[in-house]
């Protein structure tokens, strides 16, 4: 990254974003030394303008920010730092410096689940049920989606809501496995539904 530290007197703003929830957590400032230490340790480190010294977030509270990724903006003078917090980020004890709750949506987990399934597809570890599905092939994966869908229908018509949710989760898991095998994502289905939500949408 070619960062322009000179534009703001040797410092650049660093926007901290939760790598999982995408919630903006805080704003800090980095100089070259803070950036280098962040990269070297994997723990987000800032330059304190009030104390004129480096400080690693969490060195006192234990609530560290574990580095995941960094990007520079189009003007090369602002950092977007994605990190995983180990506790509340704000010194007041709140999750963010704006007093917001930092929680991931259950829907967001579907993308994370597919990330995990894609990793299984790449690595194919022994003893994994997901690995066995990929090895059994496309027809077996499609069959499992059908079987789980039928079980969902049975629970919806003659079972309990609890069992319906259980079987629905099974069906969704096997559907994501099938999508992965075809090089597709759960987001592709969401995009299709979003298009259909448009009043001007017409069936293909």
């Amino acid at each position: 990254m070619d960062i322009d530290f000179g534009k703001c007197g040797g410092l650049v703003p660093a926007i901290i974003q939760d790598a999982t929830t995408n919630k903006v957590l805080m704003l800090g400032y980095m100089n070259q030394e803070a950036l280098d230490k962040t990269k070297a340790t994997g723990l987000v480190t800032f330059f304190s303008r009030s104390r004129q010294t480096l400080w690693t977030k969490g060195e006192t509270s234990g609530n560290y920010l574990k580095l995941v990724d960094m990007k520079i903006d189009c003007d090369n003078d602002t950092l977007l730092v994605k990190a995983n917090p180990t506790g509340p980020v704000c010194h007041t004890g709140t999750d963010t410096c704006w007093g917001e709750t930092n929680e991931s949506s259950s829907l967001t987990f579907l993308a994370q689940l597919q990330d995990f399934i894609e990793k299984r597809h790449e690595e194919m570890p022994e003893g994994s049920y997901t690995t066995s599905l990929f090895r059994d092939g496309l027809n077996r994966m499609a069959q499992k989606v059908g079987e789980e869908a039928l079980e969902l229908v049975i629970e919806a018509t003659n079972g309990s809501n609890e069992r319906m949710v259980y079987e629905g989760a099974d069906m969704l898991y096997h559907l994501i496995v099938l999508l992965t095998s075809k090089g597709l994502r759960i987001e592709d289905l969401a995009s299709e539904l979003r298009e259909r939500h448009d009043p001007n949408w017409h069936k293909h």
Side-chain angles (χ1 to χ4, degrees):
M1 290 186 296
D2 185 17
I3 302 174
D4 188 354
F5 285 103
K7 190 179 293 186
C8 296
L11 298 176
V12 294
I15 302 166
I16 312 302
Q17 182 182 36
D18 190 298
T20 301
T21 67
N22 291 325
K23 181 78 72 175
V24 175
L25 303 175
M26 65 171 291
L27 172 69
Y29 289 85
M30 290 186 182
N31 59 6
Q32 184 67 63
E33 189 179 0
L35 178 65
D36 292 343
K37 186 173 180 181
T38 296
K39 291 179 178 179
T41 64
L43 299 176
V44 178
T45 298
F46 302 101
F47 181 82
S48 171
R49 293 173 298 167
S50 59
R51 291 182 285 124
Q52 291 292 297
T53 187
L54 295 185
W55 64 282
T56 298
K57 182 73 180 75
E59 60 190 2
T60 301
S61 65
N63 298 328
Y64 294 98
L65 291 168
K66 296 184 177 180
L67 178 66
V68 174
D69 187 34
M70 281 193 289
K71 291 181 172 66
I72 189 72
D73 78 334
C74 56
D75 291 325
N76 296 327
D77 61 5
T78 302
L79 284 166
L80 176 63
V81 180
K82 295 191 176 185
N84 289 321
T86 61
V89 171
C90 186
H91 71 282
T92 63
T94 58
D95 289 350
T96 80
C97 287
W98 291 270
E100 298 176 306
T101 300
N102 184 25
E103 292 180 351
S104 60
S105 164
S106 295
L107 292 176
T108 303
F109 174 72
L110 293 178
Q112 296 171 21
L113 175 61
Q114 183 151 16
D115 291 342
F116 177 82
I117 290 172
E118 286 181 345
K119 189 174 182 181
R120 281 284 195 263
H121 193 211
E122 293 170 4
E123 299 176 352
M124 300 291 277
E126 294 295 334
S128 163
Y129 174 66
T130 306
T131 296
S132 71
L133 288 172
F134 287 127
R135 284 181 174 162
D136 287 343
L138 181 62
N139 289 345
R140 177 57 178 158
M141 285 182 276
Q143 179 186 1
K144 284 298 295 181
V145 173
E147 290 175 359
E148 299 299 343
L150 178 58
E151 292 181 12
L152 171 61
V153 170
I154 292 172
E155 292 300 333
T157 54
N158 294 294
S160 65
N161 286 348
E162 182 180 3
R163 289 298 304 176
M164 178 181 167
V165 169
Y166 183 90
E167 297 299 346
D170 275 353
M171 186 196 73
L172 193 52
Y173 160 77
H174 287 91
L175 175 58
I176 293 175
V177 172
L178 180 61
L179 288 170
T180 300
S181 73
K182 301 287 285 185
L184 298 170
R185 294 277 307 183
I186 192 70
E187 292 93 337
D188 294 320
L189 303 189
S191 294
E192 174 67 20
L193 290 172
R194 182 167 58 187
E195 287 182 16
R196 294 184 190 185
H197 190 62
D198 188 324
N200 297 318
W201 178 83
H202 296 288
K203 187 174 181 180
H204 300 154

